Amino acid sequence: MPVADSWRAVRRAVLAVAVLDDVDLEPRDDGVLLPGARPLLVGWDELAWAAGPQPDQVDAARAGVARHLRLRGALDEVVAEPELARTRLRLLALPSARVPDGGWPLHRVAGGALAVGLGLALERSDALPVVAVPSVTLAAAGLVCAAGRVGVPGAEQELAVLEEHLEAMGTLAGARLARLPQQLAPVGDSDVPTLLASASFRRALAAEDPLGMRGAVVASRRRGWLDPRRLDPALASVAYELSDPDDRAFERPLLVTAEEVSEVRSGGRPAEIDLRDPVTHPGLPTQR
């Protein structure tokens, strides 16, 4: 895509965000100004990165720019009030196949299905509770993440505190299994994949099975089901396709142990109903 056309596509994405997402902004030669008590200028280079490698795909570019502007505005509040880092910064887990660009993961859970990185809790009720904060976005906002600490230089938050919060949410989710033994749902601002990154929650899940391994369908970040052998085999893929793109998690079932989270291999035809098997019923002859 020619450079000139690429920049025009980025500018169209910004205009779409202003009109369709109702984001108050002011385009300038050096970037986009977000007005407010603390006006924030976001440069065009940042916005081109947020629009993605194919900014001519309007819907995807608009979503990327809108997400980036909301995130930059929220991070700017943390810069203005460093104590907000204690209540807004979180650990977030995402499917390894859906890790955002920009140097995001801090580590990966054994088994390879989950990557864990830094997230920020948003206050908008129509958005996911926590969104990923890539390293490039963190740096653009003037925050740092190094040596086990994150936040405003000189007033960083210990990453160990974020890990303790995640384990506390995992413990609560494990206790809820007694009431909802087949369902997975967020606890606080920790969505389902993030809870599976908690060692305390994985131990609680594994303890319920004699073999120490549970199957799970987690097509959406907001909901999941345990022991998928009780479910329609096509549930995972269908629920995945019907989920909002930002809300999607795993297209295939998971296997969870106390130490690992792995995704089953692709293959087969889960949506195909096999009518070739013989029908059996007490008192009726077997059909061939």
Side-chain angles (χ1 to χ4, degrees):
M1 186 176 184
V3 173
D5 290 344
S6 177
W7 282 109
R8 279 194 288 269
V10 172
R11 291 177 179 272
R12 283 198 300 269
V14 170
L15 177 61
V17 168
V19 175
L20 300 177
D21 294 281
D22 196 26
V23 175
D24 191 10
L25 55 83
E26 178 185 336
R28 296 189 173 187
D29 291 340
D30 52 351
V32 168
L33 182 69
L34 300 178
R38 279 174 50 92
L40 174 65
L41 182 68
V42 181
W44 285 110
D45 287 342
E46 272 190 67
L47 294 168
W49 173 83
Q54 295 179 305
D56 55 326
Q57 295 184 0
V58 180
D59 290 340
R62 169 194 151 208
V65 170
R67 186 186 308 113
H68 185 74
L69 290 176
R70 284 198 299 268
L71 186 55
R72 284 288 272 112
L75 287 172
D76 192 59
E77 294 176 5
V78 175
V79 173
E81 302 180 53
E83 64 274 11
L84 287 178
R86 301 183 181 278
T87 58
R88 303 284 292 278
L89 291 176
R90 294 283 184 268
L91 290 183
L92 174 69
L94 293 173
S96 293
R98 299 180 62 81
V99 168
D101 296 329
W104 179 73
L106 296 172
H107 68 271
R108 295 180 186 272
V109 177
L114 282 174
V116 180
L118 191 66
L120 185 75
L122 298 179
E123 296 181 348
R124 288 176 54 123
S125 60
D126 60 338
L128 287 164
V130 178
V131 296
V133 184
S135 297
V136 293
T137 307
L138 197 72
L143 299 166
V144 296
C145 182
R149 299 173 66 84
V150 59
V152 180
E156 299 97 333
Q157 164 93 324
E158 295 282 351
L159 287 174
V161 175
L162 304 184
E163 293 171 357
E164 291 173 2
H165 175 80
L166 173 57
E167 291 303 323
M169 296 299 100
T171 299
L172 290 175
R176 187 176 56 187
L177 289 173
R179 293 186 293 106
L180 300 171
Q182 303 300 324
Q183 297 183 29
L184 299 174
V187 172
D189 49 26
S190 295
D191 60 24
V192 176
T194 302
L195 290 173
L196 291 174
S198 161
S200 58
F201 186 47
R202 294 197 304 272
R203 286 194 297 268
L205 287 173
E208 298 290 324
D209 185 84
L211 298 178
M213 177 182 292
R214 301 292 294 276
V217 168
V218 185
S220 161
R221 292 174 58 185
R222 302 175 191 267
R223 185 170 299 279
W225 296 269
L226 292 168
D227 303 325
R229 64 182 180 273
R230 305 169 185 267
L231 306 173
D232 189 312
L235 176 64
S237 58
V238 172
Y240 178 89
E241 291 297 330
L242 292 177
S243 298
D244 183 273
D246 287 338
D247 198 19
R248 287 173 179 165
F250 296 95
E251 189 173 7
R252 300 190 299 276
L254 302 174
L255 294 177
V256 183
T257 70
E259 303 296 334
E260 299 183 1
V261 179
S262 59
E263 191 172 12
V264 303
R265 295 179 180 179
S266 60
R269 299 176 181 177
E272 180 181 285
I273 300 176
D274 193 345
L275 300 178
R276 295 169 299 179
D277 291 342
V279 177
T280 61
H281 188 279
L284 294 178
T286 301
Q287 298 180 13
R288 296 291 182 183

